[in-house]
Amino acid sequence: MPKITLPANSLMLSKDFVFGVATSSFQIEGDRKGRQDCIWDTFCSQPNAIEDSSNGDIACEHVEYWQQDIELIDSLGVDAYRLSISWPRVMNEDGSVNELGMRFYVNLVDELLKRNMKVFVTLYHWDLPQYLEDQGGWLNRETAFAFQTYAAAVANALGEKVYAYATLNEPFCSAYLGYETGVHAPGKTGVGNGRKAAHHLLLAHGLALKVLRQQCPNSLHGIVLNFSTCHAQSESAQDKQAAKWADEYHNQWYLKPLMHAEYPEIIEKLSADERPDVIDGDMDIISQPIDYLGINYYTRTVYEADNQQWFKVVPPVDKPLTAMGWEITPDAFTEILVDLHTQYTLPPIYITENGAAMNDELVDGQVKDDDRIDYFRTHLNAVNTAIEKGVNIKGYFAWSLMDNFEWALGYSKRFGIVHVDYNTQKRTVKQSGHAYAELVKSRINGYISGIK
Ligand code: FCB
């Protein structure tokens, strides 16, 4: 079995560096009856919305098997588990707490703590209660305040047992994919909708941050953003400009308001009715200091100029791809980390997601996913290189603990380091899971020599 190796004396081999695995509520939990509906339930019921016409009703039945799943996480030897809370499981429509739903997470967190694991909680990994979408969802400014109430309820129940809270996961996806291109729930479209949703999401982040900090001063508080390195198709000034606009629209749109209290220049290109409604004081709320930045990275994107739009994606041809059709580009991972570190004075960074869907086959009880092991090895080394170049990275979470519902692609794509048989719910650790565990367990308190 190939190994995941890091260079000797890598900071990542010190016990201070956090290694974890990540999941999200809608993608694994199932038990739809135990919660209110969310926008993904509604979206999944629309014809052709999900590639395999599936939904999250059952998923990995994690609500049923959570104890086994924690045991599984523990068996990998990781330091931390990143999970998300299902807003519609813990909050009723009238704003009261669903005690039974909240208890599920209290028990989960208690069990993780018993096993000495650090708990990273994300409050919003895309499962907006449908009752809020019915009032306009993220197009309605009030949703940001409902999020603040929800954050306060979670902080009240879980308190400082949570090592690190993240307000949102990838607001880019919620806003752009959910409200601008419509390929994710709730399936709305239009530039104006996308930009307004993004602003309200960022406002929600800031409002929640205030109460989280007040209620849990000793936990870390941050947000998780996704980045894709934007490369130009050619050296032409037009293509370079296109890549720059894409970077502003997809990456900087979410980070610049947090760090510099303003949207990037590309906002000037929007018509008045496409611009978000920014009210006095919003940018101050959004730009409160955060304790850490979560970064999710999967691939780079190549852009070219286009006379219909500001930038156009050039799909990869003749390149090594994952099963998602995403180009495998570890160097671009180092590049974006170093770039962001150069452009901003960032707080400590956790890589909150990184991983790959591959065409796995379960044969004789084994998944020999050498390709995924290779992805982890090259991307962990890319993180190591970024650290050597001065980027302050404190941890890394593999996406994902186990195969799960991959949004618009349903169960057709497998990202897990653990295989899930959806008929029996049997979990089988893939070779990549064993390799990851071996790397993690090879550490001792100080540095150890990695094997190159
Ligand atoms: C990220 C999501 C995560 C998962 C991975 C593959 O954008 O945060 O839920 O779907 O992509």
Side-chain angles (χ1 to χ4, degrees), residues 25-26 38-40 84-88 123-129:
S25 45
F26 190 83
C38 75
I39 53 176
W40 275 91
S84 83
I85 309 265
S86 160
W87 185 350
L123 291 172
Y124 186 67
H125 203 124
W126 312 351
D127 38 5
L128 184 72

Side-chain angles (χ1 to χ4, degrees), residues 90 115 359 404:
V90 300
R115 293 165 185 267
N359 296 318
N404 58 49

Side-chain angles (χ1 to χ4, degrees), residues 364-423:
D364 298 333
Q366 285 194 326
V367 179
K368 293 193 172 158
D369 53 344
D370 289 5
D371 42 8
R372 186 177 286 103
I373 294 179
D374 208 48
Y375 184 97
F376 280 123
R377 188 181 49 75
T378 52
H379 286 74
L380 279 161
N381 278 277
V383 173
N384 182 67
T385 308
I387 294 173
E388 283 172 357
K389 293 189 175 192
V391 188
N392 184 11
I393 304 171
K394 303 274 234 199
Y396 175 97
F397 290 78
W399 183 270
S400 178
L401 165 67
M402 56 186 164
D403 296 336
N404 58 49
F405 176 78
E406 179 45 37
W407 309 112
L409 300 171
Y411 298 95
S412 67
K413 303 292 177 228
R414 293 178 177 271
F415 270 93
I417 58 173
V418 174
H419 178 272
V420 176
D421 178 329
Y422 295 113
N423 294 318

